[in-house]
C-alpha cells in the first residue's frame, strides 16, 4: 500500500491515551520502531511498567481501522530505567530521584519506602537512600536491624531488605544518640552515601530527603545529575506553601520536577465516604496551577501507620488493600513519567548552580 505512511499510522495511534499520564502515546514518544511493509504495520510501545496490555489491543485495533491495512503487530516493551546521561556519575545507577517535601510531618519517608517497595515489585532494581541525617526513619519503616558491610577502600555494601538496597545514617548511630553536625560533615556523609556505597546495578535510586532546603539538598544537587525531584505534600495550604519553596530550590538548581504526590489526602470512613481532613484536592490543584504532573493521592489510614511502625510497609504486608494499590498507582505513574521525560529529552545532562 504505497499511500500508507508513518504519519498516517501515528495519527491513528494518537487517539490512545495512557491513563496513568493522561496523554496520548504518540505525544509521550513511546511509540518506537514503526515499520510499514506492504499492508503490514508493526511497532513497539515502550513503557516503564507492566500491566498496560490494553494499550496493545487498542493500538492493534486503531491500526487495523486504517484503510488497506491487513495486518498489525504491536509489542509492549518494558523499559525499567533509562540512563541519566551517557556516563552515569554513579556507575550502574540509571535514575536518581530525590523525594522532597521541604516541610516535616507530611509522611514523606513513608511514601518513599512504599514507592521503593512498589517499584521493586515490578522487577526493577531499587535502592533507597535515607538522606535525613538528623532524623533517619527508613531503618524503622523497613525494620532493618543489621548493619551495612564495610568493603575495601572505604566502600560500604548497603543492607538489603524486601529486595531493596538501603543506606541510612540510622545504621551507624546508637538508638538514642543525636547527630550534631555542621555543614561540612553533612556534605561528607551525603557524598559517602552517594559515591562510597556499592549500590550495584539500579534502575531507581530514591533519596528520602530531610525537611528544609539546606546543606543536604545542595550537596545532592552538586554531586550527581538527578533525573528529577518528586514533591510530597498534604492538601492544606500551609504544607503546600512550604512545598513550593522546595520546588523553587530545585528549579533554581536546574533540577526537573517529576511531579507532586498528595499524601494524607482523605480518611476512608467505614460507610464508604471520604473525610477530607486536611482539605480536598489541594495538591492536585496546586500541580495544575504550576503545570506539573499530579502523580496521585495517598489516603491517611490506621493500617498504613501500624505497618510503618512495625517495619512492614503496607505495599508488602497488604498488597491487595486499597491503600497499597494507591501507592502502586503512584509508583506506576512515577515510572511512566520518568520514561516520558527520557523519551522527550527533558532529563538534564548535568546539574548546574545558577545563583
Amino acid at each position: 500500500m504505497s499511500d500508507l505512511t508513518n504519519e498516517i499510522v501515528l495519527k491513528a495511534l494518537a487517539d490512545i491515551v495512557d491513563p496513568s499520564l493522561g496523554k496520548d502515546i504518540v505525544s509521550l514518544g513511546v511509540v518506537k520502531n514503526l515499520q510499514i511493509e506492504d499492508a503490514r504495520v508493526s511497532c513497539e510501545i515502550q513503557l516503564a511498567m507492566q500491566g498496560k496490555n490494553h494499550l496493545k489491543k487498542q493500538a492493534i485495533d486503531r491500526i487495523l481501522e486504517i484503510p488497506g491495512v491487513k495486518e498489525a503487530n504491536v509489542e509492549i516493551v518494558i523499559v525499567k530505567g533509562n540512563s541519566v546521561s551517557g556516563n552515569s556519575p554513579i556507575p550502574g545507577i540509571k535514575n536518581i530521584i530525590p523525594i522532597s517535601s521541604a516541610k516535616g510531618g507530611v509522611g514523606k519517608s513513608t511514601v518513599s519506602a512504599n514507592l521503593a517497595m512498589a517499584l521493586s515489585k515490578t522487577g526493577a532494581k531499587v535502592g533507597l537512600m535515607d538522606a535525613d541525617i538528623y532524623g533517619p526513619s527508613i531503618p524503622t519503616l523497613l525494620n532493618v536491624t543489621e548493619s551495612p558491610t564495610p568493603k575495601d577502600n572505604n566502600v560500604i555494601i548497603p543492607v538489603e531488605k524486601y529486595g531493596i538496597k538501603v543506606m541510612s545514617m540510622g545504621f551507624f548511630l546508637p538508638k538514642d544518640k543525636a547527630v550534631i553536625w555542621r555543614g561540612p560533615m553533612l556534605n561528607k556523609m551525603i557524598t559517602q552515601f552517594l559515591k562510597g556505597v556499592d549500590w550495584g546495578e539500579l534502575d531507581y535510586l530514591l533519596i528520602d530527603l530531610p525537611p528544609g532546603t539546606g546543606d543536604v539538598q545542595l550537596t545532592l544537587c552538586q554531586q550527581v545529575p538527578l533525573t528529577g525531584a518528586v514533591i510530597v505534600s498534604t492538601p492544606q495550604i500551609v504544607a503546600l506553601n512550604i512545598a513550593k519553596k522546595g520546588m523553587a530550590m530545585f528549579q533554581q538548581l536546574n533540577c526537573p520536577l517529576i511531579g507532586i504526590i498528595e499524601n494524607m489526602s482523605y480518611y476512608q470512613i467505614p460507610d464508604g465516604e471520604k473525610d477530607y481532613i486536611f482539605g480536598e484536592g489541594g495538591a492536585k490543584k496546586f500541580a495544575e496551577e504550576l503545570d506539573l504532573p499530579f502523580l496521585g493521592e495517598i489516603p491517611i489510614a490506621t493500617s498504613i501507620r501500624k505497618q510503618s511502625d512495625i517495619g512492614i510497609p503496607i505495599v508488602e504486608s497488604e498488597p491487595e488493600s486499597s491503600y497499597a494499590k494507591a501507592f502502586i498507582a503512584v509508583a506506576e505513574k512515577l515510572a511512566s513519567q520518568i520514561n516520558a521525560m527520557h523519551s522527550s529529552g527533558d532529563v538534564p545532562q548535568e546539574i548546574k548552580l545558577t545563583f
Side-chain angles (χ1 to χ4, degrees):
M1 182 179 176
S2 58
D3 294 333
L4 185 60
T5 63
N6 285 10
E7 288 72 20
I8 292 174
V9 176
L10 291 174
K11 184 176 180 180
L13 295 177
D15 291 334
I16 302 172
V17 175
D18 183 332
S20 66
L21 291 175
K23 295 181 180 179
D24 70 87
I25 60 175
V26 174
S27 63
L28 286 172
V30 298
V31 179
K32 303 291 185 180
N33 298 323
L34 175 58
Q35 297 181 13
I36 300 171
E37 185 177 348
D38 298 326
R40 297 186 296 274
V41 178
S42 64
C43 68
E44 294 178 351
I45 300 177
Q46 295 188 359
L47 303 174
M49 295 186 76
Q50 298 174 355
K52 296 185 179 182
N53 286 330
H54 61 283
L55 295 179
K56 175 178 179 177
K57 183 178 184 306
Q58 290 180 41
I60 291 173
D61 290 344
R62 293 292 190 282
I63 294 172
L64 290 176
E65 289 172 359
I66 300 173
V69 173
K70 295 181 180 179
E71 183 179 329
N73 295 305
V74 177
E75 295 296 329
I76 299 291
V77 176
I78 304 300
V79 182
K80 293 179 181 177
N82 294 287
S83 178
V84 175
S85 61
N87 294 304
S88 173
I90 305 181
I93 300 180
K94 296 177 180 177
N95 292 289
I96 304 174
I97 306 155
I99 311 292
S100 174
S101 65
K103 184 180 184 301
V106 300
K108 169 183 50 56
S109 296
T110 300
V111 170
S112 298
N114 279 282
L115 286 183
M117 296 282 296
L119 290 168
S120 178
K121 285 184 178 296
T122 70
K125 297 177 182 177
V126 181
L128 179 57
M129 173 180 150
D130 186 354
D132 193 342
I133 303 300
Y134 294 122
S137 56
I138 293 299
T140 299
L141 292 172
L142 296 180
N143 190 29
V144 179
T145 56
E146 60 268 39
S147 300
T149 306
K151 193 179 176 181
D152 294 336
N153 301 319
N154 294 319
V155 174
I156 303 170
I157 300 175
V159 175
E160 190 162 335
K161 190 67 179 284
Y162 304 120
I164 302 167
K165 294 182 179 180
V166 186
M167 181 55 60
S168 171
M169 186 65 188
F171 297 149
F172 305 99
L173 287 174
K175 191 171 183 181
D176 298 323
K177 186 175 180 179
V179 175
I180 307 174
W181 284 352
R182 293 186 184 275
M185 288 297 291
L186 290 174
N187 297 346
K188 184 177 180 180
M189 181 56 69
I190 294 301
T191 302
Q192 174 71 34
F193 280 6
L194 287 170
K195 297 184 177 181
V197 171
D198 185 3
W199 290 106
E201 297 289 328
L202 293 180
D203 295 304
Y204 305 100
L205 175 61
L206 303 187
I207 302 179
D208 181 30
L209 290 178
T213 55
D215 288 313
V216 171
Q217 288 83 353
L218 285 170
T219 298
L220 177 65
C221 290
Q222 289 175 304
Q223 288 290 331
V224 291
L226 306 172
T227 302
V230 171
I231 306 299
V232 178
S233 179
T234 50
Q236 74 260 50
I237 297 300
V238 64
L240 291 167
N241 284 342
I242 296 175
K244 190 172 184 179
K245 296 179 185 296
M247 287 187 278
M249 175 199 68
F250 283 113
Q251 290 174 327
Q252 199 168 2
L253 295 173
N254 194 32
C255 173
L257 295 172
I258 299 174
I260 299 174
I261 299 170
E262 183 178 273
N263 193 33
M264 306 183 197
S265 294
Y266 58 86
Y267 176 73
Q268 188 77 53
I269 301 174
D271 64 10
E273 291 189 16
K274 296 178 179 179
D275 184 3
Y276 292 92
I277 300 172
F278 300 116
E280 184 175 356
K284 185 174 184 180
K285 295 173 185 175
F286 194 58
E288 291 172 351
E289 290 172 3
L290 298 176
D291 195 27
L292 287 173
F294 181 65
L295 300 178
E297 56 184 30
I298 307 296
I300 184 170
T302 303
S303 294
I304 296 175
R305 193 270 305 165
K306 283 184 176 179
Q307 295 307 133
S308 296
D309 284 348
I310 65 175
I312 311 176
I314 198 80
V315 170
E316 173 70 16
S317 60
E318 302 175 23
E320 297 303 317
S321 68
S322 60
Y323 309 126
K325 289 179 179 178
F327 282 112
I328 291 168
V330 170
E332 178 180 350
K333 192 162 186 179
L334 169 62
S336 296
Q337 188 64 36
I338 290 170
N339 192 42
M341 290 171 65
H342 283 289
S343 296
S344 62
D346 288 340
V347 178
Q349 296 301 302
E350 60 179 329
I351 303 300
K352 295 181 180 178
L353 295 177
T354 57
F355 61 91

